[in-house]
Amino acid sequence: MESGAVFAGLHPNPPSHHLLLGPSRSAIKLLPPPITDKKLFSSHPPRSRYLFTATRDHLLRDGICPFFPISWLQKQLHFASFSNHNSNNVNSLRVASPASNVALELADIDWDNLGFGLMPTDYMYMMRCTQGEAFSKGQLQRFGNIELSPSAGVLNYGQGLFEGLKAYRKHDGNILLFRPEENGLRLRMGAERMCMPAPTVEQFVEAVKETVLAMKDGPLLMGSGAVLGLAPAPEYTFLIYVSPVGNYFKEGLAPINLIVETEMHRATPGGTGGVKTIGNYAAVLQAQSAAKAKGFSDVLYLDSINKKYLEEVSSCNVFVVKGNLISTPAIKGTILPGITRKSILDVALSQGFEVAERQVTVDELLEADEVFCTGTAVVVSPVGSITYLNKRVTYGSDGVGRVSQQLYSALTSLQMGLTEDKMGWIVELK
């Protein structure tokens, strides 16, 4: 289940005296090792001011975005000056404080320790339609509570879907969206299953663009009309909101520890496990809460029929590595077709790995060389240990496997605009 409800990682434009913003320091742990060959450089910044050094070609090839003084970067890497880029707009990027009505400047956010929680921005995007009609263009409005009838379809019968995608701000000020059309397609697939009208893919993408450019993004589709008796709602609301977020798991990018659930299941054949409906998430809360109380990061679920094949984690898809083969459970209606999952399969193929979408047994999981999870929120998260029937299996000396590291670096470098987008996945907003 790929975690949803939005979540734009929009970094503010760096002031002229700040270091270049890049991945968080915790993210650096999973990037390729530093390049320290002095032959690559004509001069060096003071050792206390940098994490590692590399030429521009090495940075782009290896997907590294270091924290260098901007003046040195301009000299060594020939980056165009951006110290004054959109300088008049820096103070316009604001988020509403949950504890008060005071707006916080994004420039003051501690991105390395942000965590994963709601920090709403000033606006949200909303459009409505009635049953049997099509959505028309919506509009931005101030972020706030919405009014619903006590008999709204979403409240009484769970007729609702939500999506999740991230946006990234490049060092030149432009914003990158990662495969937003895939989210639009998945929303339409889920809407058909839930008997709901949905925006077109074009409407979805344009709404996301408008919201993000206004510094606001979390798509939600729900039956907002009043209905008594089990039936599709007469009216529907599509809205988008944004919140800056950090790492999904409290471990950050350190390896997570999972427990295999043997009694409860998140989905059954013929149900709605393959679409991003709101009810799928409430169903995992009991098992997840119990696991976290025991010190685990999350729960890995098995199929409900044979109880031996892997399905997914509460908030993300799972991958198993054995040699050069990367396997993940096949999409058969009980597993969410994660967009990060789909992307990782393509990236792995492009890097010479064999990939397979198939039934994966829990025995294969325990004998794997490496295990990792993927999702919009977690990106690529290495698994340090799996506990199954009181047996604990660990992976590697520190849990961060070579494959996890390589795929994480390749994907995030693409998402952040550090490497060439040969896949055609990035939508750049200028």
Side-chain angles (χ1 to χ4, degrees):
M1 184 186 299
E2 187 170 326
S3 179
V6 219
F7 313 137
L10 295 175
H11 288 232
N13 296 321
S16 59
H17 62 280
H18 281 191
L19 302 182
L20 175 64
L21 289 171
S24 66
R25 288 170 177 77
S26 58
I28 296 297
K29 296 176 183 177
L30 287 183
L31 291 174
I35 302 166
T36 56
D37 186 354
K38 294 185 178 181
K39 295 180 181 179
L40 297 175
F41 315 102
S42 58
S43 62
H44 298 274
R47 182 171 296 275
S48 63
R49 296 295 301 281
Y50 67 91
L51 297 179
F52 38 68
T53 54
T55 65
R56 183 174 187 275
D57 288 341
H58 279 82
L59 292 176
L60 296 179
R61 184 195 68 195
D62 293 332
I64 300 172
C65 186
F67 293 79
F68 287 132
I70 288 179
S71 59
W72 188 83
L73 276 173
Q74 290 171 338
K75 178 180 178 181
Q76 293 292 326
L77 309 183
H78 309 293
F79 282 156
S81 173
F82 55 86
S83 61
N84 294 320
H85 183 85
N86 283 345
S87 59
N88 294 331
N89 294 330
V90 171
N91 292 331
S92 68
L93 303 180
R94 300 157 70 86
V95 293
S97 170
S100 69
N101 293 324
V102 178
L104 303 175
E105 303 300 339
L106 286 185
D108 294 332
I109 294 176
D110 182 0
W111 292 95
D112 286 337
N113 299 296
L114 181 59
F116 200 91
L118 180 63
M119 187 180 291
T121 49
D122 283 346
Y123 295 91
M124 60 186 182
Y125 181 97
M126 185 177 294
M127 59 179 168
R128 291 187 171 92
C129 81
T130 56
Q131 183 68 271
E133 296 184 357
F135 280 96
S136 57
K137 182 173 175 57
Q139 62 182 1
L140 290 170
Q141 53 187 276
R142 299 292 296 186
F143 182 89
N145 296 336
I146 59 175
E147 186 174 301
L148 284 176
S149 166
S151 60
V154 66
L155 298 180
N156 291 271
Y157 307 114
Q159 197 181 20
L161 298 162
F162 74 106
E163 274 297 329
L165 60 153
K166 285 182 178 178
Y168 301 85
R169 186 180 293 279
K170 293 172 60 182
H171 62 76
D172 62 4
N174 292 344
I175 296 172
L176 304 180
L177 302 177
F178 184 70
R179 310 190 76 175
E181 73 287 345
E182 291 289 338
N183 293 90
L185 286 168
R186 189 170 63 181
L187 184 76
R188 290 185 62 82
M189 180 183 71
E192 181 179 0
R193 177 66 176 84
M194 302 297 289
C195 296
M196 304 167 71
T200 65
V201 173
E202 292 76 15
Q203 285 177 315
F204 180 95
V205 174
E206 287 305 312
V208 169
K209 288 180 180 179
E210 186 173 344
T211 310
V212 170
L213 284 174
M215 187 45 203
K216 307 76 175 170
D217 193 62
L220 174 66
L221 176 63
M222 60 182 170
S224 52
V227 57
L228 184 60
L230 184 57
E235 182 184 81
Y236 295 86
T237 298
F238 173 74
L239 63 85
I240 299 175
Y241 67 94
V242 160
S243 178
V245 296
N247 294 312
Y248 181 78
F249 290 113
K250 68 178 182 179
E251 293 88 348
L253 289 172
I256 60 174
N257 301 299
L258 302 178
I259 183 171
V260 178
E261 175 58 47
T262 58
E263 297 299 325
M264 287 183 275
H265 304 278
R266 64 160 295 277
T268 57
T272 59
V275 298
K276 207 169 177 66
T277 179
I278 57 178
N280 288 345
Y281 294 85
V284 305
L285 294 178
Q286 184 178 8
Q288 185 189 62
S289 297
K292 289 186 175 182
K294 296 177 182 178
F296 296 102
S297 307
D298 213 327
V299 176
L300 175 57
Y301 294 90
L302 301 178
D303 75 289
S304 61
I305 304 299
N306 300 290
K307 298 185 178 182
K308 69 175 184 178
Y309 297 111
L310 307 187
E311 294 234 312
E312 59 181 313
V313 181
S314 303
S315 57
C316 42
N317 297 114
V318 65
F319 287 76
V320 173
V321 181
K322 190 68 174 179
N324 197 52
L325 176 64
I326 302 175
S327 301
T328 191
I331 301 297
K332 293 186 176 180
T334 56
I335 298 171
L336 189 74
I339 295 166
T340 307
R341 171 191 180 277
K342 180 179 181 179
S343 303
I344 282 294
L345 288 171
D346 289 338
V347 169
L349 277 173
S350 72
Q351 300 213 348
F353 292 100
E354 297 178 61
V355 300
E357 298 179 75
R358 60 182 180 86
Q359 287 185 321
V360 182
T361 67
V362 69
D363 289 336
E364 291 179 87
L365 171 75
L366 301 178
E367 296 172 0
D369 298 332
E370 189 176 337
V371 178
F372 62 88
C373 299
T374 66
T376 297
V378 305
V379 190
V380 175
S381 183
V383 174
S385 73
I386 294 285
T387 298
Y388 173 63
L389 298 178
N390 296 319
K391 177 183 178 181
R392 185 172 185 266
V393 175
T394 59
Y395 302 95
S397 58
D398 58 3
V400 183
R402 175 186 63 85
V403 177
S404 301
Q405 177 176 335
Q406 183 173 338
L407 296 179
Y408 174 90
S409 178
L411 183 63
T412 55
S413 297
L414 182 61
Q415 291 175 325
M416 295 178 185
L418 301 176
T419 55
E420 181 183 357
D421 177 22
K422 296 180 180 179
M423 302 288 194
W425 290 344
I426 301 298
V427 175
E428 185 165 0
L429 309 182
K430 300 181 179 180

